[in-house]
Amino acid sequence: MELIIEIRNISKSYGDFKVIDNVSLNIEKGIIFGLLGPNGAGKSTLIKVLSCQSRPSSGHAYISGLDVVSDKKEVLSIIGVVPQENSFYDELTINENLMFFGSLYGIINIEIKKQSHKILSMLKLEEKSNSRASDLSGGMKTRLNIACALIHKPQVLILDEPSVGLDPVSRKALWETIQAVNGEGTTILITTHYMEEADLLCDRILIMNRGKIVIEGTQEELKRKVGEKVVQITSSPGIYEVIKSKVGSIEKVTSCIENVKGLKITHTDELPLQEILEIFISHGEKILNVGSSSPSLEDAFILASGEEWH
Ligand SMILES: Nc1ncnc2c1ncn2[C@@H]1O[C@H](COP(=O)(O)OP(=O)(O)O)[C@@H](O)[C@H]1O
Ligand SMILES: [Mg+2]
C-alpha cells in the first residue's frame, strides 16, 4: 500500500478554541477518500492545512512525502484544489481560463493545450471549449471549476463540499466526474456533510466531529463496527427512560438510542425480540411498529460519537 497523504498529530487552534484536535490519518494512493462530518466539524480547516492555506498549530502533514509547511511550493505543484466558489473568470472562454491557470503554474502553452484537450474530453466539456464561462450551464461550471484545478496534472485533487447547493441530478453528474478523474489515477480527497454522498462515492471515509476523528474505514468496516443490525421500535406513549436501560443491558444489544420514531436498537446476532417487546408492554407501551434495517453511516456516527448527527 502506497501512501499519498500522511497526517501526524495535527492540531489547529484559534485562540483557545481547538478546531482540529490531534488528528492522525493515512490516505492510500489512488482512492477516493471522504472526509465526512457535520457543519463545524473541522473539515475545511483540515483541508486548508493540507493545501498549505493554513499552518497547523502542531503536528505534521505530508503529501507524497513532502511537508505541507516546509515544502509548500512543491506540495502546491502536486495538488489541485477545487474551491467552493468558482475560481474561473466568467468573461473568459473555457480554453482561455485553462490557459490562464496553466500559465500560473508556469506550464508552456503547448503543454497546456495538450492537457486541456485531455481534461475537457474527460469532463465532457470539449464542445464548449470556445464558449464563455458565463454562458455555461450550472453543471458545466462545476466541471470547469474542477478542470482549472487539474491543468497541472496534480497527483491529488482536493474538493471542499463540492456538491453543496447542487440539485440531485447535478450532484450525480459531479460524482461521475470525480470518478472519471479518479479513474485516471488521481487520488481524491473530498469533504462532505452528506452521508449518502460519502457512502456512494468514496472508497474510505473518515468521520469527524468537533475536530476529532470519530471513526475511519471503508463503509463496510464502519457499519460492521455498529453491530450487525438495527431494529426500530415505535410505541405509544413513548416513555423510554426505564425501557432504555433494561433493553440496553441485554447481552446482544450494542446500543439503544431514543429518536423521533421511538427506540432504535443496534445488535449483533439474533435479537430476543419477544423479550424486548415484553419489556415495552410491561411498561405500558403500545407497540405501533417494529422495523428492521441494516446500519447506516448515521448509525455508525451516533454510536461512535454518542451524539446525534445535526
Ligand atoms: N479563522 C477562524 N477563526 C476562528 N474560528 C474558526 C476559523 N475558521 C474556522 N473556525 C471554527 O472552526 C470550527 C470548524 O470550522 P470548519 O473547519 O469550517 O468546519 P467544517 O468545514 O467541518 O464545517 C467552526 O466552529 C468554525 O467556526
Ligand atoms: Mg467546511
Side-chain angles (χ1 to χ4, degrees):
M1 180 177 90
E2 194 182 340
L3 298 179
I4 187 121
I5 298 180
E6 294 161 82
I7 303 177
R8 300 272 170 270
N9 307 101
I10 287 280
S11 292
K12 174 80 188 177
S13 301
Y14 292 108
D16 290 339
F17 184 32
K18 223 171 197 182
V19 177
I20 303 288
D21 191 357
N22 199 26
V23 166
S24 295
L25 173 72
N26 288 330
I27 299 180
E28 197 182 325
K29 194 170 183 171
I31 68 169
I32 302 183
F33 191 91
L35 199 52
L36 173 69
N39 285 325
K43 305 181 295 294
S44 294
T45 307
L46 189 56
I47 290 295
K48 281 184 188 146
V49 169
L50 290 176
S51 53
C52 315
Q53 300 170 63
S54 172
R55 273 169 171 253
S57 306
S58 61
H60 292 277
Y62 307 92
I63 300 190
S64 213
L66 299 162
D67 187 306
V68 297
V69 175
S70 56
D71 305 319
K72 180 173 173 176
K73 204 168 157 226
E74 291 87 345
V75 169
L76 289 176
S77 74
I78 60 164
I79 63 170
V81 183
V82 181
Q84 244 175 342
E85 310 75 34
N86 290 335
S87 55
F88 55 77
Y89 291 93
D90 269 339
E91 62 274 22
L92 300 182
T93 66
I94 290 185
N95 272 337
E96 288 165 349
N97 267 298
L98 292 176
M99 198 51 89
F100 172 75
F101 282 95
S103 67
L104 287 185
Y105 285 99
I107 310 170
I108 53 170
N109 286 1
I110 184 146
E111 271 302 316
I112 299 176
K113 280 189 185 140
K114 245 167 79 183
Q115 178 66 356
S116 296
H117 184 73
K118 214 178 128 198
I119 297 171
L120 295 182
S121 106
M122 176 169 69
L123 302 190
K124 301 198 183 89
L125 283 171
E126 257 172 333
E127 284 170 18
K128 296 281 178 181
S129 61
N130 289 314
S131 301
R132 268 192 193 212
S134 57
D135 294 337
L136 300 174
S137 70
M140 288 175 179
K141 284 181 179 167
T142 305
R143 301 210 292 281
L144 175 55
N145 205 30
I146 295 174
C148 294
L150 289 173
I151 195 68
H152 57 300
K153 303 186 197 165
Q155 295 179 31
V156 183
L157 185 68
I158 299 176
L159 307 100
D160 193 4
E161 305 235 19
S163 61
V164 165
L166 296 185
D167 62 74
V169 175
S170 314
R171 188 170 294 165
K172 207 159 158 268
L174 171 73
W175 296 349
E176 279 166 15
T177 301
I178 291 171
Q179 279 161 339
V181 175
N182 178 246
E184 295 287 312
T186 312
T187 307
I188 308 283
L189 174 58
I190 174 177
T191 76
T192 180
H193 66 269
Y194 298 116
M195 303 248 183
E196 189 204 7
E197 179 161 83
D199 206 355
L200 294 177
L201 178 66
C202 302
D203 298 311
R204 291 184 79 86
I205 298 170
L206 168 72
I207 306 186
M208 276 183 84
N209 191 36
R210 301 178 193 277
K212 288 195 168 87
I213 295 179
V214 176
I215 26 176
E216 192 271 329
T218 63
Q219 286 82 331
E220 285 316 307
E221 285 166 358
L222 301 188
K223 290 171 186 176
R224 219 177 301 133
K225 283 180 190 167
V226 172
E228 307 210 317
K229 282 229 144 147
V230 179
V231 169
Q232 173 76 51
I233 301 177
T234 307
S235 66
S236 171
I239 299 164
Y240 297 125
E241 201 69 17
V242 184
I243 298 176
K244 228 166 37 183
S245 73
K246 285 198 174 163
V247 172
S249 65
I250 292 173
E251 200 194 322
K252 287 159 186 164
V253 171
T254 46
S255 83
C256 183
I257 288 166
E258 191 170 340
N259 60 16
V260 283
K261 286 195 260 170
L263 268 199
K264 185 171 183 171
I265 301 160
T266 57
H267 62 96
T268 57
D269 298 333
E270 277 301 298
L271 193 67
L273 195 55
Q274 184 69 28
E275 184 188 336
I276 288 175
L277 293 179
E278 275 162 17
I279 295 175
F280 273 70
I281 292 160
S282 69
H283 287 83
E285 293 289 324
K286 182 168 175 249
I287 305 293
L288 300 176
N289 191 47
V290 180
S292 165
S293 63
S294 295
S296 63
L297 283 182
E298 184 166 354
D299 297 322
F301 175 84
I302 291 172
L303 277 162
S305 71
E307 289 184 32
E308 287 287 326
W309 184 270
H310 53 85

